[in-house]
Amino acid sequence: MSDADVELEARLEEQEAFEPPASFVDQANVSDESIYEEFEENWPDCWTQAADMLDWEREYTEVLDDSDEPFYEWFGDGTLNASYNCIDRHLEDGNKNRVAIKWEGELGETRTYTYQDLYREVNEFAAALRELGVEEDDVVTMYMPMVPELPIAMLACARIGAPHSVVFAGFSSEALATRMNAADSEYLVTCDGYYRRGDALDHVEKANEGLDAVDHGVEAVVVKDRLGDELDHSLKGNQYDWDDLMADHLGDRVDPVERGAEDMLFLMYTSGTTGKPKGVKHTTGGYLSYVTWTSHAVLDIEPEDTYWCSADIGWITGHSYIVYGPLSLGTTTVMYEGTPDYPARDRLWELVEKYSVDIFYTAPTAIRAFMKWGSRFPEEHDLSSLRLLGTVGEPINPRAWKWYYKHIGGEECPIVDTWWQTETGGMMVTTLPGIGTMKPGSAGPPLPGIDARVVDTNGHEVDAGRAGYLTVDKPWPGMLRTLYKNDERFVEEYWEEYSDPEEDEWVYFPEDGAKIDDDGYITVLGRVDDVINVSGHRLGTMEIESAIVGVEGVAEAAVVGGDHEVKGETVYAYVITEEGYDESEDLRARIIEGVEDAIGPIARPEEVVFTPELPKTRSGKIMRRLLEDIANDEELGDTSTLRNPDVVDDIQRKVREP
Ligand code: PRX
């Protein structure tokens, strides 16, 4: 490094606040600070600003119906169609030849869909789904990697009013079956396989195993042949080839179905504190308004932009900010099939340069990996097309933030650190890039109209600098409406903790810990429930534990998150063996396999620690905090309430000298 570089590094390291560059502010979609006050004074009517970004079939007359809290309704008497809003209206605006999706496969093949192309394929697939028997409100499951057919299938479902439930392709067959069973879903769209680090992976075999475990009849399965001759697969009785169906419906058109604003757009299963994933229900009007508005205000997307969110569509980030938000705004959204390090560690930067990407949105875990690989990879490419950077999924530490700012943004792009969740539908806490001072490590203030606070266990706001719990005290259009077929669990999980129903006060609890500073900037500290965050992927420790105790030879298991340099957190499993079973390598391997089968490789335990006992309180509750401290080699908290304090030393020894 030259002296100038060293000086620059030192300056950056100390700098705690960054202003957005004037060149950005001048062109920003939102740059007037008064928006915060305006939304506050005008709440909930302020949200018409979001709803009015959409084309409604029948205009809504009521913004918010809160007569049955916490079952809120937004724009409830309006009707619209999400597929119409993401496609048809752009054709009418004269933008039919604008690129909607730029897709790049791992091996370098590319596909480009203009809005007109997308219109054609979505219509044809919608016609095919109808022919297969899919009716309005039937849940269609999708188990697909990052291929263009995934957003096409999602939008085709939206067109005919059939909610989709996308299952991340990295999840196991068992996880697929659990989700299809929970949603009573009788239709599946999948594909034969995809490429990962140059290898062709068989996906349809996993899908078929999952289908075998579905506990009700499956009407039809559509399989896209992604790998051609690379992988032979045969279709079973109720299975159809995607391309054949499309050929049968060539040129077909399907009128977008008029959906009520509160009709379900999709379900997304996510992890919670129990062993069973939760079916988060999002609706058409509120969700689409909210992701469109936040894509405009926070991601600063303009139709002329090339925008790239490197998440997977199998997670909420991809739903909201690869598919619905960007397409609703009529921009070009980039989709990449592969991993960032294939064939080399500059793959993402190569793509940014190749497509002149304007806006790039990724996860801190990826940034930590880029940092570890070194700045020479981005330096090989011209990244000057970038205007804005974003992160999501977990806290970003100031070092990673500054690395991203300097080496990817060239110190000229604001960074939005966006806090939100599957349940919130869209971004909730972040700076607005054309307005706010950025403070690395802190997401920022709540967005206009969002009443996020940091409170103590009694619900009183904490003083600046003190840790507390994040709450949201007013509803917002993008919020989940309920957990599928489980209103009771919805109220229990998100509302009971801080609400006072007798006083008609309803407070949403996202189960995150947080701090707030004197300027109202919120730093999110992480989950306070038994959910861990591995590489930005949300996993329930209970789900992993139940997979482990399902392995022959295991008596009891406790899973916690241990700190990890790149992944953020990683799975630590503490396991008690059954009488007659040894703490063997074989058992360890079967435990890992058991977790991969039940959930998928992302949940694979990094460490399996055999122990004769688990630290428990006198009432028999496992002290997870202690197990976390052990995993992280930290000073142990209070052990005096333990029934079996000696076990802690034993476990500690085992972790240090495995
Ligand atoms: O703990 C928070 C963390 O991710 C959780 C939500 O996970 P999921 O529903 O899978 O959605 C991830 C993508 C929206 C939150 O409860 N989280 C998300 N974004 C941030 C974050 N933690 C800190 N800072 C963030 N920007």
Side-chain angles (χ1 to χ4, degrees), residues 102-141:
K102 240 310 152 220
W103 177 84
E104 174 134 340
E106 205 190 58
L107 302 186
E109 67 273 59
T110 60
R111 275 152 72 186
T112 301
Y113 292 80
T114 63
Y115 276 93
Q116 181 68 36
D117 298 331
L118 193 59
Y119 173 76
R120 210 181 47 239
E121 297 220 0
V122 166
N123 271 277
E124 289 166 358
F125 196 62
L129 287 174
R130 278 230 173 120
E131 187 209 290
L132 295 175
V134 179
E135 289 180 6
E136 207 172 331
D137 292 320
D138 285 345
V139 175
V140 177
T141 303

mmCIF file of all heavy atoms in Angstrom, residues 102-141:
data_model
loop_
_atom_site.group_PDB
_atom_site.id
_atom_site.type_symbol
_atom_site.label_atom_id
_atom_site.label_comp_id
_atom_site.label_asym_id
_atom_site.label_seq_id
_atom_site.Cartn_x
_atom_site.Cartn_y
_atom_site.Cartn_z
ATOM 1 N N LYS A 102 -32.573 -9.802 -16.858
ATOM 2 C CA LYS A 102 -31.291 -10.169 -17.466
ATOM 3 C C LYS A 102 -30.806 -11.358 -16.664
ATOM 4 O O LYS A 102 -30.539 -11.243 -15.463
ATOM 5 C CB LYS A 102 -30.326 -9.035 -17.206
ATOM 6 C CG LYS A 102 -29.654 -8.264 -18.251
ATOM 7 C CD LYS A 102 -28.957 -8.725 -19.322
ATOM 8 C CE LYS A 102 -28.843 -7.946 -20.586
ATOM 9 N NZ LYS A 102 -28.931 -8.716 -21.750
ATOM 10 N N TRP A 103 -30.742 -12.506 -17.295
ATOM 11 C CA TRP A 103 -30.347 -13.703 -16.551
ATOM 12 C C TRP A 103 -28.990 -14.183 -17.014
ATOM 13 O O TRP A 103 -28.700 -14.173 -18.215
ATOM 14 C CB TRP A 103 -31.385 -14.806 -16.764
ATOM 15 C CG TRP A 103 -31.028 -16.104 -16.098
ATOM 16 C CD1 TRP A 103 -31.258 -16.444 -14.796
ATOM 17 C CD2 TRP A 103 -30.396 -17.244 -16.699
ATOM 18 N NE1 TRP A 103 -30.801 -17.728 -14.550
ATOM 19 C CE2 TRP A 103 -30.258 -18.241 -15.700
ATOM 20 C CE3 TRP A 103 -29.912 -17.521 -17.984
ATOM 21 C CZ2 TRP A 103 -29.688 -19.485 -15.944
ATOM 22 C CZ3 TRP A 103 -29.320 -18.770 -18.228
ATOM 23 C CH2 TRP A 103 -29.215 -19.733 -17.211
ATOM 24 N N GLU A 104 -28.163 -14.585 -16.076
ATOM 25 C CA GLU A 104 -26.882 -15.179 -16.446
ATOM 26 C C GLU A 104 -26.723 -16.500 -15.697
ATOM 27 O O GLU A 104 -26.858 -16.577 -14.482
ATOM 28 C CB GLU A 104 -25.727 -14.216 -16.116
ATOM 29 C CG GLU A 104 -24.373 -14.846 -16.335
ATOM 30 C CD GLU A 104 -23.377 -13.973 -17.097
ATOM 31 O OE1 GLU A 104 -23.782 -13.023 -17.792
ATOM 32 O OE2 GLU A 104 -22.180 -14.275 -16.994
ATOM 33 N N GLY A 105 -26.462 -17.554 -16.461
ATOM 34 C CA GLY A 105 -26.233 -18.872 -15.862
ATOM 35 C C GLY A 105 -24.814 -18.970 -15.355
ATOM 36 O O GLY A 105 -23.960 -18.154 -15.692
ATOM 37 N N GLU A 106 -24.574 -19.989 -14.559
ATOM 38 C CA GLU A 106 -23.248 -20.103 -13.966
ATOM 39 C C GLU A 106 -22.163 -20.312 -15.024
ATOM 40 O O GLU A 106 -21.043 -19.834 -14.894
ATOM 41 C CB GLU A 106 -23.210 -21.227 -12.941
ATOM 42 C CG GLU A 106 -22.127 -21.008 -11.929
ATOM 43 C CD GLU A 106 -21.888 -22.196 -11.052
ATOM 44 O OE1 GLU A 106 -21.570 -23.286 -11.572
ATOM 45 O OE2 GLU A 106 -22.031 -22.038 -9.833
ATOM 46 N N LEU A 107 -22.520 -21.015 -16.091
ATOM 47 C CA LEU A 107 -21.517 -21.305 -17.116
ATOM 48 C C LEU A 107 -21.375 -20.172 -18.132
ATOM 49 O O LEU A 107 -20.687 -20.310 -19.131
ATOM 50 C CB LEU A 107 -21.867 -22.604 -17.843
ATOM 51 C CG LEU A 107 -21.993 -23.853 -16.958
ATOM 52 C CD1 LEU A 107 -22.206 -25.088 -17.799
ATOM 53 C CD2 LEU A 107 -20.766 -24.023 -16.071
ATOM 54 N N GLY A 108 -22.109 -19.079 -17.900
ATOM 55 C CA GLY A 108 -21.927 -17.913 -18.762
ATOM 56 C C GLY A 108 -23.010 -17.741 -19.816
ATOM 57 O O GLY A 108 -23.004 -16.767 -20.554
ATOM 58 N N GLU A 109 -23.938 -18.706 -19.922
ATOM 59 C CA GLU A 109 -25.009 -18.495 -20.897
ATOM 60 C C GLU A 109 -25.933 -17.393 -20.383
ATOM 61 O O GLU A 109 -26.053 -17.193 -19.172
ATOM 62 C CB GLU A 109 -25.789 -19.787 -21.189
ATOM 63 C CG GLU A 109 -26.605 -20.360 -20.063
ATOM 64 C CD GLU A 109 -25.844 -21.304 -19.138
ATOM 65 O OE1 GLU A 109 -24.843 -20.869 -18.540
ATOM 66 O OE2 GLU A 109 -26.299 -22.437 -18.974
ATOM 67 N N THR A 110 -26.557 -16.663 -21.310
ATOM 68 C CA THR A 110 -27.388 -15.550 -20.857
ATOM 69 C C THR A 110 -28.760 -15.624 -21.508
ATOM 70 O O THR A 110 -28.919 -16.192 -22.597
ATOM 71 C CB THR A 110 -26.770 -14.191 -21.231
ATOM 72 O OG1 THR A 110 -26.640 -14.140 -22.652
ATOM 73 C CG2 THR A 110 -25.418 -13.993 -20.587
ATOM 74 N N ARG A 111 -29.743 -15.057 -20.851
ATOM 75 C CA ARG A 111 -31.073 -14.903 -21.444
ATOM 76 C C ARG A 111 -31.598 -13.522 -21.076
ATOM 77 O O ARG A 111 -31.408 -13.055 -19.965
ATOM 78 C CB ARG A 111 -32.009 -16.003 -20.934
ATOM 79 C CG ARG A 111 -31.860 -17.277 -21.774
ATOM 80 C CD ARG A 111 -32.175 -18.512 -21.009
ATOM 81 N NE ARG A 111 -33.603 -18.638 -20.755
ATOM 82 C CZ ARG A 111 -34.135 -19.597 -19.998
ATOM 83 N NH1 ARG A 111 -33.364 -20.508 -19.437
ATOM 84 N NH2 ARG A 111 -35.419 -19.648 -19.804
ATOM 85 N N THR A 112 -32.241 -12.921 -22.038
ATOM 86 C CA THR A 112 -32.748 -11.570 -21.837
ATOM 87 C C THR A 112 -34.243 -11.564 -22.116
ATOM 88 O O THR A 112 -34.669 -12.015 -23.179
ATOM 89 C CB THR A 112 -32.048 -10.602 -22.818
ATOM 90 O OG1 THR A 112 -30.652 -10.673 -22.568
ATOM 91 C CG2 THR A 112 -32.514 -9.179 -22.606
ATOM 92 N N TYR A 113 -35.019 -11.097 -21.174
ATOM 93 C CA TYR A 113 -36.463 -11.000 -21.365
ATOM 94 C C TYR A 113 -36.853 -9.530 -21.364
ATOM 95 O O TYR A 113 -36.655 -8.848 -20.352
ATOM 96 C CB TYR A 113 -37.218 -11.679 -20.217
ATOM 97 C CG TYR A 113 -37.053 -13.175 -20.190
ATOM 98 C CD1 TYR A 113 -35.912 -13.752 -19.651
ATOM 99 C CD2 TYR A 113 -38.047 -14.009 -20.685
ATOM 100 C CE1 TYR A 113 -35.755 -15.123 -19.618
ATOM 101 C CE2 TYR A 113 -37.893 -15.390 -20.659
ATOM 102 C CZ TYR A 113 -36.753 -15.941 -20.128
ATOM 103 O OH TYR A 113 -36.600 -17.286 -20.093
ATOM 104 N N THR A 114 -37.415 -9.058 -22.456
ATOM 105 C CA THR A 114 -37.995 -7.722 -22.420
ATOM 106 C C THR A 114 -39.341 -7.841 -21.697
ATOM 107 O O THR A 114 -39.819 -8.955 -21.449
ATOM 108 C CB THR A 114 -38.252 -7.187 -23.838
ATOM 109 O OG1 THR A 114 -39.216 -8.063 -24.453
ATOM 110 C CG2 THR A 114 -36.975 -7.150 -24.660
ATOM 111 N N TYR A 115 -39.961 -6.709 -21.408
ATOM 112 C CA TYR A 115 -41.283 -6.787 -20.789
ATOM 113 C C TYR A 115 -42.275 -7.498 -21.707
ATOM 114 O O TYR A 115 -43.147 -8.227 -21.250
ATOM 115 C CB TYR A 115 -41.765 -5.390 -20.350
ATOM 116 C CG TYR A 115 -41.197 -5.055 -18.985
ATOM 117 C CD1 TYR A 115 -39.999 -4.348 -18.851
ATOM 118 C CD2 TYR A 115 -41.825 -5.510 -17.822
ATOM 119 C CE1 TYR A 115 -39.452 -4.095 -17.602
ATOM 120 C CE2 TYR A 115 -41.280 -5.257 -16.572
ATOM 121 C CZ TYR A 115 -40.102 -4.551 -16.465
ATOM 122 O OH TYR A 115 -39.559 -4.320 -15.223
ATOM 123 N N GLN A 116 -42.104 -7.314 -23.010
ATOM 124 C CA GLN A 116 -42.975 -8.018 -23.966
ATOM 125 C C GLN A 116 -42.744 -9.528 -23.892
ATOM 126 O O GLN A 116 -43.702 -10.309 -23.878
ATOM 127 C CB GLN A 116 -42.691 -7.501 -25.387
ATOM 128 C CG GLN A 116 -43.550 -8.136 -26.471
ATOM 129 C CD GLN A 116 -45.014 -7.730 -26.358
ATOM 130 O OE1 GLN A 116 -45.317 -6.594 -25.998
ATOM 131 N NE2 GLN A 116 -45.914 -8.647 -26.642
ATOM 132 N N ASP A 117 -41.489 -9.955 -23.807
ATOM 133 C CA ASP A 117 -41.185 -11.392 -23.684
ATOM 134 C C ASP A 117 -41.785 -11.948 -22.398
ATOM 135 O O ASP A 117 -42.352 -13.044 -22.377
ATOM 136 C CB ASP A 117 -39.666 -11.640 -23.619
ATOM 137 C CG ASP A 117 -38.934 -11.190 -24.870
ATOM 138 O OD1 ASP A 117 -39.548 -11.204 -25.950
ATOM 139 O OD2 ASP A 117 -37.741 -10.820 -24.752
ATOM 140 N N LEU A 118 -41.629 -11.187 -21.346
ATOM 141 C CA LEU A 118 -42.127 -11.644 -20.049
ATOM 142 C C LEU A 118 -43.659 -11.782 -20.109
ATOM 143 O O LEU A 118 -44.228 -12.763 -19.628
ATOM 144 C CB LEU A 118 -41.717 -10.626 -18.973
ATOM 145 C CG LEU A 118 -41.865 -11.052 -17.519
ATOM 146 C CD1 LEU A 118 -41.037 -12.289 -17.217
ATOM 147 C CD2 LEU A 118 -41.430 -9.909 -16.581
ATOM 148 N N TYR A 119 -44.277 -10.804 -20.741
ATOM 149 C CA TYR A 119 -45.735 -10.825 -20.920
ATOM 150 C C TYR A 119 -46.155 -12.111 -21.623
ATOM 151 O O TYR A 119 -47.070 -12.819 -21.187
ATOM 152 C CB TYR A 119 -46.148 -9.597 -21.732
ATOM 153 C CG TYR A 119 -47.595 -9.561 -22.134
ATOM 154 C CD1 TYR A 119 -48.586 -9.230 -21.203
ATOM 155 C CD2 TYR A 119 -47.986 -9.865 -23.442
ATOM 156 C CE1 TYR A 119 -49.923 -9.196 -21.575
ATOM 157 C CE2 TYR A 119 -49.313 -9.840 -23.820
ATOM 158 C CZ TYR A 119 -50.285 -9.506 -22.877
ATOM 159 O OH TYR A 119 -51.607 -9.478 -23.243
ATOM 160 N N ARG A 120 -45.453 -12.424 -22.709
ATOM 161 C CA ARG A 120 -45.815 -13.597 -23.502
ATOM 162 C C ARG A 120 -45.652 -14.874 -22.672
ATOM 163 O O ARG A 120 -46.563 -15.680 -22.570
ATOM 164 C CB ARG A 120 -44.917 -13.649 -24.742
ATOM 165 C CG ARG A 120 -45.578 -14.296 -25.937
ATOM 166 C CD ARG A 120 -44.645 -14.344 -27.136
ATOM 167 N NE ARG A 120 -43.336 -14.836 -26.770
ATOM 168 C CZ ARG A 120 -42.204 -14.161 -26.938
ATOM 169 N NH1 ARG A 120 -42.215 -12.971 -27.475
ATOM 170 N NH2 ARG A 120 -41.050 -14.692 -26.570
ATOM 171 N N GLU A 121 -44.523 -15.012 -22.026
ATOM 172 C CA GLU A 121 -44.273 -16.277 -21.317
ATOM 173 C C GLU A 121 -45.150 -16.428 -20.083
ATOM 174 O O GLU A 121 -45.595 -17.519 -19.760
ATOM 175 C CB GLU A 121 -42.780 -16.396 -20.954
ATOM 176 C CG GLU A 121 -41.932 -16.429 -22.213
ATOM 177 C CD GLU A 121 -40.779 -17.416 -22.168
ATOM 178 O OE1 GLU A 121 -40.596 -18.109 -21.151
ATOM 179 O OE2 GLU A 121 -40.052 -17.479 -23.175
ATOM 180 N N VAL A 122 -45.386 -15.328 -19.401
ATOM 181 C CA VAL A 122 -46.238 -15.399 -18.207
ATOM 182 C C VAL A 122 -47.672 -15.776 -18.617
ATOM 183 O O VAL A 122 -48.318 -16.600 -17.979
ATOM 184 C CB VAL A 122 -46.192 -14.066 -17.422
ATOM 185 C CG1 VAL A 122 -47.313 -13.986 -16.392
ATOM 186 C CG2 VAL A 122 -44.835 -13.912 -16.735
ATOM 187 N N ASN A 123 -48.133 -15.203 -19.711
ATOM 188 C CA ASN A 123 -49.469 -15.561 -20.205
ATOM 189 C C ASN A 123 -49.541 -17.033 -20.591
ATOM 190 O O ASN A 123 -50.500 -17.725 -20.252
ATOM 191 C CB ASN A 123 -49.837 -14.701 -21.413
ATOM 192 C CG ASN A 123 -50.516 -13.421 -20.988
ATOM 193 O OD1 ASN A 123 -51.725 -13.401 -20.735
ATOM 194 N ND2 ASN A 123 -49.743 -12.363 -20.866
ATOM 195 N N GLU A 124 -48.546 -17.484 -21.303
ATOM 196 C CA GLU A 124 -48.563 -18.884 -21.750
ATOM 197 C C GLU A 124 -48.525 -19.837 -20.564
ATOM 198 O O GLU A 124 -49.239 -20.831 -20.519
ATOM 199 C CB GLU A 124 -47.397 -19.139 -22.715
ATOM 200 C CG GLU A 124 -47.636 -18.438 -24.051
ATOM 201 C CD GLU A 124 -46.423 -18.342 -24.969
ATOM 202 O OE1 GLU A 124 -45.322 -18.805 -24.571
ATOM 203 O OE2 GLU A 124 -46.564 -17.787 -26.061
ATOM 204 N N PHE A 125 -47.688 -19.489 -19.588
ATOM 205 C CA PHE A 125 -47.622 -20.405 -18.441
ATOM 206 C C PHE A 125 -48.897 -20.322 -17.591
ATOM 207 O O PHE A 125 -49.344 -21.330 -17.038
ATOM 208 C CB PHE A 125 -46.371 -20.144 -17.586
ATOM 209 C CG PHE A 125 -46.096 -21.297 -16.650
ATOM 210 C CD1 PHE A 125 -45.817 -22.561 -17.147
ATOM 211 C CD2 PHE A 125 -46.166 -21.143 -15.272
ATOM 212 C CE1 PHE A 125 -45.608 -23.647 -16.301
ATOM 213 C CE2 PHE A 125 -45.943 -22.217 -14.409
ATOM 214 C CZ PHE A 125 -45.664 -23.473 -14.930
ATOM 215 N N ALA A 126 -49.487 -19.143 -17.523
ATOM 216 C CA ALA A 126 -50.759 -19.012 -16.803
ATOM 217 C C ALA A 126 -51.819 -19.892 -17.470
ATOM 218 O O ALA A 126 -52.595 -20.590 -16.793
ATOM 219 C CB ALA A 126 -51.204 -17.553 -16.780
ATOM 220 N N ALA A 127 -51.828 -19.891 -18.802
ATOM 221 C CA ALA A 127 -52.786 -20.729 -19.531
ATOM 222 C C ALA A 127 -52.518 -22.209 -19.237
ATOM 223 O O ALA A 127 -53.445 -23.006 -19.040
ATOM 224 C CB ALA A 127 -52.689 -20.446 -21.027
ATOM 225 N N ALA A 128 -51.234 -22.564 -19.170
ATOM 226 C CA ALA A 128 -50.884 -23.959 -18.884
ATOM 227 C C ALA A 128 -51.338 -24.358 -17.480
ATOM 228 O O ALA A 128 -51.906 -25.435 -17.278
ATOM 229 C CB ALA A 128 -49.379 -24.142 -19.023
ATOM 230 N N LEU A 129 -51.116 -23.473 -16.528
ATOM 231 C CA LEU A 129 -51.528 -23.787 -15.149
ATOM 232 C C LEU A 129 -53.040 -24.005 -15.088
ATOM 233 O O LEU A 129 -53.528 -24.929 -14.439
ATOM 234 C CB LEU A 129 -51.136 -22.656 -14.195
ATOM 235 C CG LEU A 129 -49.651 -22.518 -13.843
ATOM 236 C CD1 LEU A 129 -49.410 -21.254 -13.017
ATOM 237 C CD2 LEU A 129 -49.133 -23.742 -13.086
ATOM 238 N N ARG A 130 -53.767 -23.154 -15.780
ATOM 239 C CA ARG A 130 -55.231 -23.299 -15.811
ATOM 240 C C ARG A 130 -55.618 -24.659 -16.382
ATOM 241 O O ARG A 130 -56.489 -25.334 -15.848
ATOM 242 C CB ARG A 130 -55.840 -22.204 -16.683
ATOM 243 C CG ARG A 130 -55.983 -20.912 -15.947
ATOM 244 C CD ARG A 130 -57.403 -20.388 -16.140
ATOM 245 N NE ARG A 130 -57.606 -19.220 -15.305
ATOM 246 C CZ ARG A 130 -57.915 -18.018 -15.780
ATOM 247 N NH1 ARG A 130 -58.066 -17.833 -17.079
ATOM 248 N NH2 ARG A 130 -58.096 -17.016 -14.950
ATOM 249 N N GLU A 131 -54.928 -25.014 -17.467
ATOM 250 C CA GLU A 131 -55.278 -26.288 -18.092
ATOM 251 C C GLU A 131 -54.987 -27.462 -17.150
ATOM 252 O O GLU A 131 -55.692 -28.466 -17.147
ATOM 253 C CB GLU A 131 -54.484 -26.463 -19.388
ATOM 254 C CG GLU A 131 -54.919 -27.681 -20.187
ATOM 255 C CD GLU A 131 -53.776 -28.239 -21.014
ATOM 256 O OE1 GLU A 131 -53.378 -27.579 -21.979
ATOM 257 O OE2 GLU A 131 -53.289 -29.319 -20.674
ATOM 258 N N LEU A 132 -53.961 -27.299 -16.341
ATOM 259 C CA LEU A 132 -53.627 -28.375 -15.391
ATOM 260 C C LEU A 132 -54.622 -28.424 -14.230
ATOM 261 O O LEU A 132 -54.541 -29.304 -13.385
ATOM 262 C CB LEU A 132 -52.207 -28.177 -14.845
ATOM 263 C CG LEU A 132 -51.080 -28.296 -15.875
ATOM 264 C CD1 LEU A 132 -49.738 -27.962 -15.235
ATOM 265 C CD2 LEU A 132 -51.044 -29.703 -16.472
ATOM 266 N N GLY A 133 -55.495 -27.454 -14.170
ATOM 267 C CA GLY A 133 -56.541 -27.483 -13.145
ATOM 268 C C GLY A 133 -56.359 -26.474 -12.027
ATOM 269 O O GLY A 133 -57.130 -26.467 -11.068
ATOM 270 N N VAL A 134 -55.331 -25.629 -12.107
ATOM 271 C CA VAL A 134 -55.106 -24.667 -11.029
ATOM 272 C C VAL A 134 -56.213 -23.610 -11.043
ATOM 273 O O VAL A 134 -56.467 -22.989 -12.077
ATOM 274 C CB VAL A 134 -53.733 -23.959 -11.182
ATOM 275 C CG1 VAL A 134 -53.526 -22.937 -10.070
ATOM 276 C CG2 VAL A 134 -52.606 -24.980 -11.197
ATOM 277 N N GLU A 135 -56.861 -23.452 -9.911
ATOM 278 C CA GLU A 135 -57.918 -22.451 -9.803
ATOM 279 C C GLU A 135 -57.505 -21.346 -8.850
ATOM 280 O O GLU A 135 -56.547 -21.498 -8.087
ATOM 281 C CB GLU A 135 -59.198 -23.118 -9.288
ATOM 282 C CG GLU A 135 -59.797 -24.008 -10.355
ATOM 283 C CD GLU A 135 -61.060 -24.703 -9.895
ATOM 284 O OE1 GLU A 135 -61.544 -24.403 -8.779
ATOM 285 O OE2 GLU A 135 -61.542 -25.549 -10.664
ATOM 286 N N GLU A 136 -58.273 -20.267 -8.879
ATOM 287 C CA GLU A 136 -57.995 -19.154 -7.991
ATOM 288 C C GLU A 136 -57.908 -19.688 -6.556
ATOM 289 O O GLU A 136 -58.722 -20.531 -6.163
ATOM 290 C CB GLU A 136 -59.116 -18.108 -8.113
ATOM 291 C CG GLU A 136 -58.636 -16.732 -7.776
ATOM 292 C CD GLU A 136 -59.671 -15.638 -8.065
ATOM 293 O OE1 GLU A 136 -60.499 -15.792 -8.963
ATOM 294 O OE2 GLU A 136 -59.613 -14.619 -7.356
ATOM 295 N N ASP A 137 -56.932 -19.218 -5.809
ATOM 296 C CA ASP A 137 -56.692 -19.566 -4.407
ATOM 297 C C ASP A 137 -56.075 -20.945 -4.166
ATOM 298 O O ASP A 137 -55.843 -21.324 -3.025
ATOM 299 C CB ASP A 137 -57.957 -19.386 -3.549
ATOM 300 C CG ASP A 137 -58.318 -17.913 -3.434
ATOM 301 O OD1 ASP A 137 -57.380 -17.098 -3.279
ATOM 302 O OD2 ASP A 137 -59.504 -17.575 -3.543
ATOM 303 N N ASP A 138 -55.799 -21.709 -5.222
ATOM 304 C CA ASP A 138 -55.020 -22.945 -5.038
ATOM 305 C C ASP A 138 -53.560 -22.551 -4.802
ATOM 306 O O ASP A 138 -53.019 -21.731 -5.550
ATOM 307 C CB ASP A 138 -55.036 -23.817 -6.310
ATOM 308 C CG ASP A 138 -56.372 -24.522 -6.503
ATOM 309 O OD1 ASP A 138 -57.161 -24.569 -5.534
ATOM 310 O OD2 ASP A 138 -56.618 -25.015 -7.624
ATOM 311 N N VAL A 139 -52.931 -23.153 -3.817
ATOM 312 C CA VAL A 139 -51.515 -22.821 -3.567
ATOM 313 C C VAL A 139 -50.606 -23.656 -4.475
ATOM 314 O O VAL A 139 -50.671 -24.886 -4.469
ATOM 315 C CB VAL A 139 -51.139 -23.065 -2.084
ATOM 316 C CG1 VAL A 139 -49.640 -22.823 -1.867
ATOM 317 C CG2 VAL A 139 -51.972 -22.184 -1.170
ATOM 318 N N VAL A 140 -49.781 -22.960 -5.260
ATOM 319 C CA VAL A 140 -48.838 -23.649 -6.146
ATOM 320 C C VAL A 140 -47.442 -23.540 -5.530
ATOM 321 O O VAL A 140 -46.957 -22.436 -5.267
ATOM 322 C CB VAL A 140 -48.836 -23.002 -7.551
ATOM 323 C CG1 VAL A 140 -47.807 -23.672 -8.452
ATOM 324 C CG2 VAL A 140 -50.231 -23.073 -8.174
ATOM 325 N N THR A 141 -46.824 -24.690 -5.277
ATOM 326 C CA THR A 141 -45.480 -24.683 -4.690
ATOM 327 C C THR A 141 -44.439 -24.617 -5.800
ATOM 328 O O THR A 141 -44.619 -25.209 -6.859
ATOM 329 C CB THR A 141 -45.272 -25.949 -3.843
ATOM 330 O OG1 THR A 141 -46.293 -25.990 -2.851
ATOM 331 C CG2 THR A 141 -43.909 -25.959 -3.163
#
